[in-house]
């Protein structure tokens, strides 16, 4: 019984974990390129 509860927990939370991972990667890319993003108006 305990193993099936664990599998159910993983199955139910896997979508949330994928969304959190995608948001984390997007935030890291934005923070990494923040200087270039902020300098963009000066290049116009």
């Amino acid at each position: 019984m305990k193993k099936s509860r664990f599998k159910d927990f993983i199955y139910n939370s896997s979508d949330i974990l994928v969304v959190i991972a995608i948001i984390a990667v997007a935030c890291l890319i934005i923070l990494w390129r923040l200087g270039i993003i902020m300098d963009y108006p000066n290049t116009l």
Side-chain angles (χ1 to χ4, degrees), residues 7-34:
K7 286 174 80 174
D8 289 341
F9 174 75
I10 296 297
Y11 180 77
N12 291 335
S13 63
S14 64
D15 292 338
I16 295 171
L17 294 175
V18 169
V19 169
I20 290 171
I22 291 171
I23 291 172
V25 169
C27 288
L28 287 173
I29 291 172
I30 290 171
L31 288 174
W32 175 50
R33 306 295 286 178
L34 190 61

